[in-house]
Amino acid sequence: MEKKFWNEEMETMPLDKLRSLQEKRLQSVVAHAYEHSRVYKRKFDEAGVKPSDISTLGDIVKLPLTDDLGDIRNAPFEDKLSVPLSEIKMYHSTSGTTTGIPEPIPYSTRDVKAFFEGEARGRWTIGARPDDVVQVLTGFDCCHRGYVEMGATCLLLSAGRGFIDKQISLTQTAGVTIIEHMPSLMINYFERAKELGFDVTKSKLRLVSGVGEAWAETYKKKMETKYGIPFTTLWGSVELGVAASQCEKRCGMHIFSDLIYLEILDPETGTPLPDGEEGEIVVTALLMNEAFPLIRYKVGDVSQIYPYELCACGRTHPRMAPVKGRISQIVKVAGKKVMPLDIEEVMASIEGLAENYQIVIDRPGELKKLKVKLEYQPGIGDLNTLRNRIEEVIHQNLGVESEIELLERGSIVSDTYKAQRIIKTY
Amino acid sequence: MEKKFWNEEMETMPLDKLRSLQEKRLQSVVAHAYEHSRVYKRKFDEAGVKPSDISTLGDIVKLPLTDDLGDIRNAPFEDKLSVPLSEIKMYHSTSGTTTGIPEPIPYSTRDVKAFFEGEARGRWTIGARPDDVVQVLTGFDCCHRGYVEMGATCLLLSAGRGFIDKQISLTQTAGVTIIEHMPSLMINYFERAKELGFDVTKSKLRLVSGVGEAWAETYKKKMETKYGIPFTTLWGSVELGVAASQCEKRCGMHIFSDLIYLEILDPETGTPLPDGEEGEIVVTALLMNEAFPLIRYKVGDVSQIYPYELCACGRTHPRMAPVKGRISQIVKVAGKKVMPLDIEEVMASIEGLAENYQIVIDRPGELKKLKVKLEYQPGIGDLNTLRNRIEEVIHQNLGVESEIELLERGSIVSDTYKAQRIIKTY
């Protein structure tokens, strides 16, 4: 009989046992970092906290937050490395798009094991199985290896990479059952397939997984309805690997709580927010990152932990909402916070709009009105009515005034791999 | 004690035993292809040959040659596939640069095992060991996995990919000991490193491996002398995986004869050439390619098998010369055959030239004179003397008249990933 869980013992562990495991691992992670990483030794000393001060999960707030740029990237490699260099068995790396310098992430033998556990569990949880044929179309070469680890058949990354027609041809030939892609590119892929005479609804394709960016729930549902293929998602980062994944019940992503401890903080005050409130994700790696500890690490993503409820799938791990975007994408408008995904949800609910949009920030600080550029579908005659309708829906849903500029489809060109939803003009 | 061979049993098998193994595998490969692949059934039937006609290695000449484009690419996928689709566990793919259509290469479980055997054995043979830290800078994502398979630490492909300064920064931080790269790009890499203040001669780097294109022996020796780092090479293709590799004795590449049967044929007549003569490489996959048999497959590369001599390294497998280039790169000049590598060897022996060159073909058919564009180093005053010197050396070494055009360094820009050494102007 097919197994239901990738790691049944961990995934279905009673909550109190899970919390004890987290506590034990937290203590050991903190002690390890303090003893072996000059970065954490300095940070903890400055904050006046010792490993012995951390005995419960609640004590975690005593530990200082860790910042990507200040604490991690700017520190010399030797100051972060917490095992001898000879024990490093794999190197992952950030792309360096933000800073221009890719940050190498070293993995010890234990880290490699934990990394593959997360990658494989993430894919198993979304529903991938060993008899699947998977096409990974993102540029993230780690994703591919998670599917291989869990036993699925994979097309190599180099297979038609970057050429949509070639990729579509391979989807057909190889009888692909799962595609993993950047969500914003998936609709283009399906539309181009149709133009080429490939009907995905009649193909073996049975699941689409989106990673690397947020995508409006309304779009996902539209795509599911139109193509009859479920759109699922998982969450992780280059530093952490896969850390949460959607199960077949599709009500949030199970946080891999044996591997990470996840907090949601108020991005301005840094204080913990209760479940159900949206804020900044802060992660402590409990098993991975032995070589390069991440303790209260500000991931930079926005989400919330759902109020705890046991999931019908049988997994006991708490669930989080799909990631809504990056902290840096929060736009303040007349006392309210708006994110690109909010605009996307509005767009998806209005007929006549194309897929691209941009929020325009034309001055520093809080804005009075939200300025948005939006593409409309060819054939729309009355742009004024459309414009008014959008401004109305934005006001209703987000409570802010807006100024909409409508552009012909194709006017907004994204020149980077991930869609750029916010532009600054000042 | 460290093991000397990746697969001692296979690599040191007495020659007569190796030949018997090849014979047995050849019989089985031919029978399997005839029974399960419509492409080979048709080809063998047309040639009037049956699996029972193949009992010795010498019988292989009875089998028709297999052409990449005609037999493989143009055939429907199902006609080539020789195991049920459900038994495919991995897909590799050609890049599609030649035809515009990437050809998916399916692997059965047995093929995956044989593929990793070749990849890992290739790296072990050049001298890689589990304590090495490897940076693969080519675009070939299969290479990376061979190093992981043999136990070495690897930087992920996405680590700084495409940005030479970032890659150099990672070489230092991670304490890289082996770089695998396209040979023609290696000198640039080292020179840029020097500009950035990174002295590779004082780093942990101890080996450079070149794949994907031919490179003049004279250049390799120059680099070894200048940087004190051995330059080694292995040979394979997307379809076959790694099929031959240089050992520490550096006198040719050991052909993985348990995995492939390699013939050298006259490219015009298709008749087998004796050892020591240069011609077209034709390969029969003996263990891999169960899913997609390759029998007398014209790889398109030019090389020779060296007259048999037992290697001092202890490996019994016959050796071949480093690949000299592609069949399509043979230029006929007044009855002689010239290849880009011949020009490269001439260039490398003359002071004052830069790294880029192109052979110009300005008419179909045989040429009377060889036309070559060459870049010269800044600061060269007397171009006439240099030009005459090159024409003289070309005449001495290759026996053909030539017409040399000298260009300033940087004039010849390659717009593809692999260096383009031949241009047609008619």
Side-chain angles (χ1 to χ4, degrees):
Chain A
M1 205 187 77
E2 187 191 89
K3 67 176 185 175
K4 188 166 176 218
F5 308 99
W6 175 250
N7 185 337
E8 185 163 357
E9 188 197 345
M10 285 298 157
E11 293 176 77
T12 64
M13 186 177 278
L15 197 61
D16 56 343
K17 223 179 134 189
L18 182 63
R19 294 300 180 202
S20 307
L21 179 72
Q22 288 190 304
E23 207 161 82
K24 213 180 106 221
R25 288 189 172 170
L26 175 66
Q27 289 162 7
S28 128
V29 156
V30 168
H32 171 73
Y34 189 77
E35 283 157 29
H36 297 97
S37 151
R38 271 173 255 168
V39 168
Y40 284 103
K41 168 92 169 68
R42 180 183 52 71
K43 282 174 68 69
F44 291 1
D45 284 347
E46 278 171 12
V49 59
K50 284 189 184 52
S52 56
D53 298 332
I54 309 302
S55 48
T56 70
L57 289 173
D59 291 331
I60 201 167
V61 294
K62 297 180 189 166
L63 297 167
L65 294 169
T66 302
D67 179 60
D68 176 32
L69 212 61
D71 292 318
I72 302 290
R73 288 182 204 261
N74 292 343
F77 190 76
E78 325 63 272
D79 285 6
K80 294 171 280 188
L81 196 65
S82 305
V83 299
L85 195 61
S86 61
E87 281 177 29
I88 302 304
K89 280 321 289 175
M90 183 171 98
Y91 281 91
H92 202 139
S93 175
T94 64
S95 63
T97 34
T98 317
T99 57
I101 302 162
E103 178 63 31
I105 316 282
Y107 291 73
S108 67
T109 303
R110 195 185 84 183
D111 295 339
V112 171
K113 222 180 133 197
F115 173 77
F116 280 115
E117 167 67 24
E119 292 288 328
R121 191 195 297 177
R123 272 71 190 190
W124 193 275
T125 305
I126 62 167
R129 291 295 178 268
D131 55 2
D132 276 308
V133 179
V134 184
Q135 196 173 17
V136 175
L137 295 173
T138 67
F140 313 126
D141 52 1
C142 44
C143 301
H144 180 271
R145 302 182 61 186
Y147 284 108
V148 171
E149 176 77 6
M150 56 135 293
T153 299
C154 250
L155 273 69
L156 242 74
L157 274 174
S158 51
R161 171 148 304 274
F163 301 97
I164 188 168
D165 290 9
K166 294 182 180 180
Q167 289 164 341
I168 291 166
S169 142
L170 287 168
T171 308
Q172 294 172 269
T173 312
V176 166
T177 58
I178 298 181
I179 292 180
E180 187 164 302
H181 205 1
M182 305 283 282
S184 64
L185 301 172
M186 213 50 241
I187 283 191
N188 285 348
Y189 190 87
F190 279 6
E191 285 182 356
R192 180 63 188 152
K194 204 175 164 186
E195 279 172 28
L196 295 172
F198 171 47
D199 185 351
V200 294
T201 66
K202 287 179 186 153
S203 74
K204 293 184 179 173
L205 198 64
R206 65 172 197 85
L207 192 65
V208 172
S209 172
V211 294
E213 45 177 37
W215 209 42
E217 289 303 305
T218 320
Y219 276 130
K220 293 179 194 168
K221 291 214 174 66
K222 271 194 179 178
M223 195 165 77
E224 291 184 345
T225 310
K226 188 163 177 187
Y227 299 102
I229 299 171
F231 184 100
T232 185
T233 193
L234 33 80
W235 174 76
S237 74
V238 164
E239 301 91 317
L240 290 162
V242 173
S245 183
Q246 219 170 32
C247 70
E248 73 276 12
K249 301 298 169 194
R250 302 278 148 85
C251 39
M253 299 184 286
H254 287 280
I255 304 162
F256 298 166
S257 306
D258 54 320
L259 302 178
I260 62 162
Y261 183 77
L262 193 143
E263 300 169 86
I264 302 289
L265 305 186
D266 182 308
E268 276 155 29
T269 64
T271 45
L273 292 171
D275 290 352
E277 282 188 34
E278 196 170 273
E280 176 167 15
I281 301 178
V282 168
V283 166
T284 299
L286 297 178
L287 194 62
M288 210 172 84
N289 306 89
E290 176 186 36
F292 223 40
L294 292 174
I295 295 175
R296 301 199 88 204
Y297 176 71
K298 290 149 69 86
V299 179
D301 282 341
V302 175
S303 187
Q304 59 174 291
I305 301 175
Y306 290 135
Y308 190 82
E309 223 179 305
L310 200 61
C311 183
C313 78
R315 289 175 183 84
T316 51
H317 291 217
R319 282 164 288 161
M320 63 189 278
V323 167
K324 207 173 167 186
R326 309 279 300 167
I327 285 289
S328 58
Q329 290 177 324
I330 296 176
V331 180
K332 281 197 156 184
V333 187
K336 302 255 154 83
K337 286 176 189 171
V338 177
M339 294 189 71
L341 211 64
D342 296 316
I343 303 300
E344 222 169 284
E345 295 286 2
V346 168
M347 280 172 70
S349 71
I350 296 173
E351 283 299 306
L353 291 171
E355 44 285 323
N356 277 318
Y357 69 97
Q358 272 174 340
I359 297 176
V360 182
I361 317 271
D362 55 4
R363 41 161 288 186
E366 194 168 303
L367 304 172
K368 283 183 190 156
K369 273 189 173 190
L370 184 68
K371 281 194 188 175
V372 186
K373 292 181 179 190
L374 285 161
E375 287 180 359
Y376 59 91
Q377 294 284 4
I380 301 289
D382 186 357
L383 293 184
N384 268 334
T385 307
L386 180 59
R387 194 181 298 114
N388 293 338
R389 172 92 183 108
I390 301 167
E391 289 172 358
E392 194 188 308
V393 179
I394 287 181
H395 190 257
Q396 276 166 8
N397 290 19
L398 312 177
V400 301
E401 298 295 318
S402 64
E403 202 179 299
I404 299 299
E405 188 182 347
L406 288 169
L407 299 165
E408 277 184 36
R409 192 178 182 185
S411 306
I412 300 173
V413 178
S414 175
D415 57 351
T416 61
Y417 194 62
K418 295 193 186 186
Q420 296 298 296
R421 301 307 194 190
I422 296 182
I423 49 162
K424 278 190 183 174
T425 59
Y426 66 90
Chain B
M1 206 187 78
E2 185 191 271
K3 67 177 185 174
K4 187 166 177 215
F5 307 100
W6 175 250
N7 186 337
E8 184 163 357
E9 188 198 344
M10 285 299 156
E11 293 176 78
T12 63
M13 186 177 274
L15 197 60
D16 56 344
K17 223 179 134 190
L18 182 63
R19 293 301 181 202
S20 308
L21 179 72
Q22 287 189 307
E23 206 162 83
K24 212 181 105 222
R25 289 189 172 172
L26 175 67
Q27 289 162 8
S28 130
V29 155
V30 168
H32 170 74
Y34 188 76
E35 283 157 32
H36 298 97
S37 152
R38 274 174 252 168
V39 168
Y40 284 103
K41 170 93 168 72
R42 180 183 53 70
K43 281 175 68 72
F44 291 0
D45 284 347
E46 278 171 12
V49 60
K50 281 188 185 54
S52 57
D53 298 332
I54 309 302
S55 48
T56 69
L57 289 174
D59 290 331
I60 201 167
V61 295
K62 297 179 188 167
L63 296 167
L65 293 170
T66 302
D67 179 59
D68 175 33
L69 213 61
D71 293 317
I72 301 289
R73 288 180 204 261
N74 292 342
F77 190 77
E78 326 64 272
D79 286 6
K80 292 172 282 188
L81 196 66
S82 305
V83 299
L85 196 60
S86 60
E87 282 177 28
I88 301 304
K89 281 318 291 174
M90 184 173 98
Y91 281 91
H92 202 140
S93 173
T94 65
S95 63
T97 33
T98 317
T99 57
I101 301 162
E103 177 65 28
I105 316 283
Y107 292 73
S108 67
T109 303
R110 194 185 85 183
D111 294 339
V112 171
K113 224 180 131 197
F115 173 77
F116 280 115
E117 167 68 23
E119 293 287 328
R121 192 196 296 179
R123 271 72 190 190
W124 194 275
T125 305
I126 61 166
R129 291 296 177 269
D131 56 1
D132 275 308
V133 179
V134 184
Q135 194 173 17
V136 174
L137 295 173
T138 67
F140 313 126
D141 52 1
C142 44
C143 301
H144 181 270
R145 301 180 62 186
Y147 284 108
V148 171
E149 175 77 7
M150 58 137 288
T153 299
C154 250
L155 273 70
L156 244 73
L157 274 174
S158 51
R161 171 151 303 277
F163 301 96
I164 188 169
D165 290 8
K166 295 183 181 181
Q167 289 164 340
I168 290 167
S169 143
L170 287 168
T171 308
Q172 293 172 272
T173 312
V176 166
T177 58
I178 299 181
I179 292 179
E180 187 165 300
H181 205 358
M182 305 283 282
S184 64
L185 302 172
M186 214 47 242
I187 282 190
N188 285 348
Y189 191 87
F190 279 6
E191 284 182 358
R192 180 63 187 151
K194 204 175 163 185
E195 279 171 30
L196 295 172
F198 172 47
D199 185 350
V200 294
T201 65
K202 287 178 185 153
S203 75
K204 291 183 179 173
L205 198 65
R206 63 172 198 83
L207 191 65
V208 172
S209 171
V211 293
E213 42 174 43
W215 209 43
E217 289 302 305
T218 320
Y219 276 130
K220 292 180 194 167
K221 291 214 175 69
K222 270 192 181 181
M223 195 165 77
E224 291 184 344
T225 310
K226 188 165 176 188
Y227 298 102
I229 299 170
F231 184 100
T232 185
T233 195
L234 32 80
W235 175 76
S237 74
V238 163
E239 301 91 318
L240 289 163
V242 173
S245 184
Q246 218 169 33
C247 69
E248 74 274 13
K249 301 297 171 198
R250 304 277 149 84
C251 38
M253 300 184 287
H254 287 279
I255 304 163
F256 298 167
S257 305
D258 53 321
L259 302 178
I260 63 163
Y261 184 77
L262 193 143
E263 300 170 87
I264 301 289
L265 305 186
D266 181 310
E268 277 155 28
T269 63
T271 45
L273 292 171
D275 290 352
E277 282 189 35
E278 195 170 271
E280 177 167 16
I281 301 178
V282 167
V283 166
T284 298
L286 297 178
L287 193 62
M288 210 172 83
N289 306 90
E290 177 187 35
F292 223 41
L294 292 175
I295 295 174
R296 299 200 89 203
Y297 176 71
K298 288 150 68 87
V299 179
D301 283 340
V302 174
S303 187
Q304 59 174 293
I305 301 176
Y306 289 136
Y308 190 82
E309 224 179 305
L310 200 62
C311 183
C313 78
R315 291 176 182 83
T316 51
H317 291 217
R319 281 165 288 161
M320 64 189 277
V323 166
K324 206 172 170 185
R326 311 279 299 166
I327 284 290
S328 59
Q329 290 177 324
I330 296 176
V331 179
K332 281 198 158 182
V333 188
K336 302 257 155 81
K337 287 176 188 169
V338 176
M339 294 189 71
L341 212 63
D342 295 318
I343 302 300
E344 222 169 284
E345 296 284 2
V346 168
M347 278 171 71
S349 71
I350 295 173
E351 282 299 306
L353 292 171
E355 45 285 323
N356 277 318
Y357 69 96
Q358 273 174 339
I359 297 176
V360 182
I361 316 270
D362 56 3
R363 42 160 291 189
E366 193 167 305
L367 304 172
K368 283 184 188 153
K369 272 190 173 186
L370 184 69
K371 280 194 188 175
V372 186
K373 291 181 179 190
L374 285 162
E375 287 180 0
Y376 60 91
Q377 295 284 5
I380 301 288
D382 187 358
L383 293 182
N384 268 335
T385 306
L386 180 60
R387 193 181 299 111
N388 292 339
R389 171 89 183 112
I390 301 166
E391 289 173 1
E392 194 188 307
V393 179
I394 287 182
H395 189 258
Q396 277 168 7
N397 290 19
L398 313 176
V400 300
E401 296 297 316
S402 63
E403 203 178 298
I404 298 302
E405 188 181 345
L406 287 170
L407 299 164
E408 276 184 35
R409 192 177 181 183
S411 308
I412 300 172
V413 178
S414 175
D415 58 356
T416 61
Y417 194 62
K418 293 192 188 187
Q420 297 298 296
R421 301 308 197 189
I422 296 182
I423 48 163
K424 277 191 183 174
T425 59
Y426 66 91

